[in-house]
Amino acid sequence: MIKLEKVSKTYRTGTFGGKLLPAVVDVSFDVRDGEVVSLIGESGSGKSTIGKMILRLITITSGRILFNDIDISTIKEGDLKNYYHDVQSVFQDPFSSYNPIFKADRIFSIIRQEFFPKVKDSQWNEKVDSSLKAVGLNPDQVLNKFPHQLSGGQLQRFLIARALLLDIKFLVADEIISMLDASTRVDVLNLLAELKSKGLSILFITHDLSLGYYISERAIILYRGCIVEMGDTKKIYFDPIHPYTKMLMASVPRLDKKWEKVEVELKAKQAEITEGCVYYERCKSPRRSTKCNLKRPDLVEVSPGHFASCFL
Amino acid sequence: MSLQIKNLVVYYQTLRGYVKALDDVTFSISDGEIMGLAGESGCGKTTLGNSLIRLEPPMKYIKGDVELDNEKLPVWNSSQMNAFRFKKISIIPQYAMNALNPTIKIGKMISELLSSRKFNYKKIKPELERRLDLVELTHDVLNMYPIELSGGMKQRMVLVLSTLLDPSLLIADEITSALDVSTQKAVAEMLVEFRNRKFVKSMIVITHDISILYQIADSILVMYAGKLAEKASTNVIVNTPRHPYTKLLISSLPKVGVRYTEKKLSGIPGNTPLLLDPPAGCRFRDRCPVAFDRCFEEPPFVEIEKDHYIACWKECTEND
Ligand SMILES: Nc1ncnc2c1ncn2[C@@H]1O[C@H](COP(=O)(O)OP(=O)(O)OP(=O)(O)O)[C@@H](O)[C@H]1O
Ligand SMILES: Nc1ncnc2c1ncn2[C@@H]1O[C@H](COP(=O)(O)OP(=O)(O)OP(=O)(O)O)[C@@H](O)[C@H]1O
Ligand code: SF4
Ligand code: SF4
Ligand SMILES: [Mg+2]
Ligand SMILES: [Mg+2]
């Protein structure tokens, strides 16, 4: 479905773009047909940047992204519409996707103008109704309302319904439920699971690890733009290899277990990126040595399908 | 008893009438207690926190008493509350991170705040620096502007600032929600550390994330649609809750190790009622799987076991 090959993104920042900020570094992974892959990492680790590159909202600095074996950077502007027929995203904050002065269902008419100008009214309304029902909303209750008359969960599901109108194959879901209440979260998660069973592939971006576990078969742990570990979700959660993943798993607030005393290193987060291991500054592993700071460890396959980037 | 609230009613005044966001709330917090306050978005958590410290329009005090360390708080009079704010009772507001004045350096802001309360910055500075060390912030932050701090640094800064005068009660409103798991853990543990060191006597920690409360709170109070539903020790709320809403809320939480293919979780069907015109009787009635005739009357918030309070006819009647 989607394949990333050594993808990097370097932002130019500062006045005149004089400073370079490597936000994503040599990232390779794939999402297979009907698979949900979680992309996990702390704030600023490059998760949204990856999502935006897949949607061609920003350029790729180096590397390739393939959608069904086609290099997406070769798609011409005129053919992008076809790409967006297959690939869509839903972003973090549902409220920012709506204009408060228009009714919320305006997001559907925009899709209609763009993609289905020839479809008749009755046929279109049927299509909207069925995609609203697919996301568990009652069309009579939610259509013809202003954004403030709907709840966050309802607005979020509206956005997913919009993506469904296009009969998409791949969805980038960027933190779509962290804003929602516990009970609404579960509804949206279950909805994603159902869509997946119908063949949709999903890149599920989150920093809430229990949500990632609930829904995905594989997980990717990102730290400062680099993949530090990736593999089967169960292995990543219960048998992590990388010191960063271990620290993350120990920090997850759980309802069946109290936190153990592990030192959380707060100070070193802003350290400069060096030639060496990206986690060097914060690493508390007994394996850590000065060697780690000289050369970056490769992402190696430790057991079938389970990759980690640490000198073992 | 550190905090005692009796029959507190606070509404929002709107053009279309009162929004009944806090309706007849009675509970207390002991010395040293960290009480978590949980419930769905819009149930009144922030309203409760703000009522205790800054009750200003469009909020309207209707009735009720608040006592802190056996002294009555004039919550209905915002200017009289000045004498208590920051010194006796302090709040870290929801979205505090973005509320810091971006044009003033942090050190200057603290010094201005202290002198407005007739305290001497120079005298307090050594203690301030000790506390910065404790939350692992360098003393340099005092010379920085708020935008130079990351989210986690800001929250730790605000924690130090709001407890600098050793208040009796600290209200922390969603201070960990925007942080990633490792920073979240660090900040949450600092709250406990501040209580243990007696920088604050007791705390109300507001969050919709019950798994964080399970780590740090002594007790949890669950609200639903402007009313109290249940209060008990953290362990009881998480493992053996009695209120139908609490039960559904806890069971809807995804846990590490639970996958939809093995155990499908379910949300709570239905929506929370509008607080402009809430239904009479139990406000959870429409969504409650065990509702019965009696629920058209309002259930009182009563103690069913020691330190376990609940507002539900089903649970009280069965005990009679
Ligand atoms: N348009 C931009 N110009 C310059 N730098 C940017 C831009 N967008 C993002 N960055 C930087 O790139 C890095 C990665 O950002 P990104 O938004 O991908 O992180 P994220 O993992 O999605 O974080 P969050 O969890 O906070 O959403 C950050 O350091 C960010 O400041
Ligand atoms: N200024 C206001 N005017 C009118 N109604 C308000 C106002 N502020 C809040 N409300 C209403 O009061 C109720 C309680 O709001 P409150 O902010 O206390 O909820 P909360 O539990 O803190 O929610 P969240 O988890 O989203 O922060 C909500 O129904 C809200 O719509
Ligand atoms: S390579 Fe070295 S510094 Fe990096 S995570 Fe492994 S042990 Fe730690
Ligand atoms: S009082 Fe009735 S409706 Fe309310 S929670 Fe109890 S059983 Fe359910
Ligand atoms: Mg992001
Ligand atoms: Mg709130």
Side-chain angles (χ1 to χ4, degrees):
Chain A
M1 175 74 42
I2 280 270
K3 189 168 186 172
L4 276 73
E5 292 179 345
K6 288 203 155 300
V7 170
S8 298
K9 174 71 191 182
T10 304
Y11 288 110
R12 288 187 169 276
T13 62
T15 18
F16 312 118
K19 272 195 203 150
L20 297 179
L21 184 116
V24 172
V25 184
D26 273 348
V27 161
S28 306
F29 66 88
D30 63 345
V31 182
R32 297 162 205 151
D33 292 2
E35 189 184 36
V36 180
V37 173
S38 288
L39 185 57
I40 294 163
E42 61 191 36
S43 184
S45 56
K47 306 182 297 293
S48 298
T49 301
I50 291 179
K52 286 179 193 157
M53 285 192 282
I54 292 175
L55 282 150
R56 270 202 43 177
L57 300 173
I58 53 174
T59 57
I60 302 168
T61 307
S62 66
R64 297 200 302 167
I65 298 179
L66 304 173
F67 175 68
N68 289 336
D69 299 324
I70 295 164
D71 183 343
I72 64 162
S73 59
T74 64
I75 302 174
K76 297 204 184 65
E77 285 295 322
D79 297 330
L80 264 183
K81 212 183 235 186
N82 287 331
Y83 183 58
Y84 291 138
H85 232 294
D86 291 331
V87 178
Q88 282 281 322
S89 61
V90 175
F91 283 104
Q92 203 149 359
D93 168 12
F95 301 97
S96 66
S97 302
Y98 295 89
N99 185 333
I101 63 169
F102 294 114
K103 300 235 164 99
D105 39 52
R106 197 173 102 106
I107 61 167
F108 300 133
S109 18
I110 293 173
I111 289 281
R112 184 182 179 187
Q113 281 164 24
E114 182 101 345
F115 293 96
F116 306 97
K118 297 204 184 84
V119 173
K120 284 202 209 78
D121 275 3
S122 60
Q123 214 183 333
W124 177 253
N125 292 340
E126 236 167 72
K127 208 171 151 65
V128 169
D129 277 12
S130 75
S131 88
L132 284 173
K133 282 181 191 144
V135 298
L137 292 172
N138 177 348
D140 298 334
Q141 263 176 29
V142 295
L143 285 175
N144 228 346
K145 293 235 158 79
F146 287 98
H148 72 264
Q149 295 172 305
L150 298 166
S151 74
Q154 287 171 327
L155 291 173
Q156 196 62 274
R157 280 185 271 186
F158 251 56
L159 292 173
I160 302 173
R162 175 180 66 172
L164 295 184
L165 279 174
L166 293 165
D167 204 12
I168 55 166
K169 314 257 174 349
F170 186 78
L171 177 72
V172 175
D174 190 353
E175 300 275 10
I176 62 170
I177 37 191
S178 26
M179 296 246 322
L180 307 178
D181 276 318
S183 64
T184 328
R185 269 183 198 185
V186 171
D187 292 336
V188 176
L189 276 178
N190 285 337
L191 168 68
L192 293 181
E194 200 185 306
L195 295 171
K196 170 199 135 67
S197 69
K198 291 182 185 151
L200 182 69
S201 308
I202 302 170
L203 183 64
F204 185 76
I205 300 179
T206 184
H207 61 240
D208 187 327
L209 290 107
S210 40
L211 301 179
Y213 190 90
Y214 184 66
I215 182 120
S216 63
E217 34 267 299
R218 282 196 299 144
I220 298 171
I221 310 288
L222 206 62
Y223 183 72
R224 301 185 81 177
C226 299
I227 296 182
V228 293
E229 186 160 359
M230 108 178 135
D232 184 277
T233 308
K234 267 198 182 132
K235 283 212 180 122
I236 299 279
Y237 279 70
F238 292 107
D239 201 7
I241 294 169
H242 197 279
Y244 177 63
T245 318
K246 287 186 180 167
M247 189 277 292
L248 273 188
M249 296 307 152
S251 306
V252 178
R254 300 170 56 152
L255 277 181
D256 53 352
K257 208 170 138 193
K258 301 264 165 141
W259 278 327
E260 280 160 32
K261 269 277 165 217
V262 283
E263 281 296 309
V264 180
E265 187 52 75
L266 290 161
K267 277 181 192 152
K269 274 195 179 174
Q270 305 298 328
E272 286 294 306
I273 291 207
T274 64
E275 292 289 294
C277 172
V278 278
Y279 193 54
Y280 183 73
E281 289 294 329
R282 284 168 77 187
C283 186
K284 290 265 154 105
S285 165
R287 298 192 296 249
R288 179 181 184 268
S289 74
T290 46
K291 177 189 163 204
C292 305
N293 201 22
L294 298 175
K295 188 183 169 294
R296 190 164 298 171
D298 292 326
L299 189 65
V300 292
E301 192 161 8
V302 184
S303 64
H306 188 174
F307 297 81
S309 156
C310 172
F311 295 114
L312 296 165
Chain B
M1 240 5 117
S2 181
L3 178 76
Q4 239 173 331
I5 299 182
K6 276 203 198 105
N7 305 107
L8 185 63
V9 180
V10 174
Y11 293 162
Y12 288 96
Q13 216 154 11
T14 72
L15 291 174
R16 294 194 291 156
Y18 284 136
V19 173
K20 296 173 177 153
L22 198 64
D23 222 346
D24 205 3
V25 161
T26 301
F27 69 93
S28 56
I29 299 180
S30 317
D31 288 354
E33 180 173 340
I34 296 184
M35 184 193 85
L37 179 56
E40 263 165 287
S41 182
C43 71
K45 304 183 294 295
T46 298
T47 307
L48 172 54
N50 287 345
S51 300
L52 304 183
I53 186 161
R54 195 175 287 279
L55 207 164
E56 286 170 351
M59 289 169 90
K60 186 167 163 59
Y61 170 87
I62 306 289
K63 66 170 187 152
D65 287 323
V66 179
E67 268 181 28
L68 184 65
D69 298 331
N70 303 316
E71 189 179 1
K72 199 161 174 168
L73 291 182
V75 290
W76 56 86
N77 185 326
S78 196
S79 61
Q80 277 182 33
M81 276 301 289
N82 256 332
F84 297 88
R85 242 176 250 143
F86 189 37
K87 270 186 269 181
K88 292 282 293 168
I89 173 168
S90 219
I91 188 166
I92 305 179
Q94 195 168 6
Y95 316 114
M97 297 219 272
N98 312 323
L100 296 174
N101 184 338
T103 60
I104 304 182
K105 284 186 181 163
I106 287 167
K108 181 143 189 284
M109 186 183 66
I110 297 177
S111 125
E112 280 175 4
L113 184 64
L114 286 171
S115 57
S116 78
R117 294 287 191 278
K118 312 240 169 353
F119 283 86
N120 186 322
Y121 181 57
K122 281 229 170 63
K123 259 198 211 143
I124 289 180
K125 202 165 175 205
E127 181 61 24
L128 170 63
E129 291 181 343
R130 246 196 314 281
R131 293 188 185 187
L132 289 177
D133 292 339
L134 193 69
V135 299
E136 295 188 44
L137 287 173
T138 60
H139 301 173
D140 279 352
V141 292
L142 298 175
N143 293 316
M144 292 186 191
Y145 291 98
I147 42 161
E148 296 177 75
L149 273 55
S150 73
M153 289 167 83
K154 271 187 217 163
Q155 294 298 46
R156 284 177 277 149
M157 187 62 239
V158 178
L159 172 62
V160 169
L161 172 59
S162 59
T163 53
L164 201 51
L165 301 179
D166 294 350
S168 184
L169 179 71
L170 174 71
I171 302 161
D173 195 351
E174 300 282 3
I175 65 168
T176 59
S177 354
L179 307 174
D180 56 79
V181 283
S182 59
T183 315
Q184 210 172 47
K185 175 167 186 272
V187 170
E189 284 177 338
M190 280 164 192
L191 289 176
V192 178
E193 184 67 24
F194 271 47
R195 188 268 320 261
N196 293 351
R197 288 179 184 250
K198 303 210 163 49
F199 297 165
V200 273
K201 210 190 286 171
S202 43
M203 286 189 200
I204 299 179
V205 179
I206 302 177
T207 174
H208 59 256
D209 194 342
I210 295 179
S211 54
I212 297 256
L213 294 180
Y214 183 64
Q215 307 299 325
I216 63 163
D218 303 306
S219 63
I220 297 178
L221 172 61
V222 178
M223 285 185 71
Y224 183 80
K227 294 261 176 196
L228 304 188
E230 187 163 12
K231 183 183 182 215
S233 72
T234 300
N235 212 359
V236 167
I237 292 286
V238 170
N239 296 311
T240 50
R242 297 274 294 271
H243 195 284
Y245 172 64
T246 318
K247 287 183 191 169
L248 288 170
L249 184 67
I250 298 284
S251 66
S252 73
L253 301 176
K255 300 166 188 71
V256 165
V258 171
R259 204 181 280 192
Y260 75 96
T261 42
E262 289 143 19
K263 178 170 181 261
K264 195 167 169 204
L265 301 170
S266 49
I268 307 174
N271 283 314
T272 44
L274 287 178
L275 297 183
L276 201 54
D277 184 22
C282 176
R283 291 186 184 176
F284 189 54
R285 199 180 59 229
D286 284 351
R287 303 170 82 185
C288 180
V290 293
F292 63 117
D293 306 346
R294 187 88 194 254
C295 308
F296 284 94
E297 279 169 61
E298 187 166 323
F301 192 62
V302 292
E303 190 167 19
I304 50 167
E305 274 162 33
K306 189 174 177 328
D307 296 328
H308 190 168
Y309 296 80
I310 179 171
C312 172
W313 289 121
K314 195 86 186 174
E315 288 297 323
C316 304
T317 339
E318 278 170 1
N319 270 0
D320 282 347

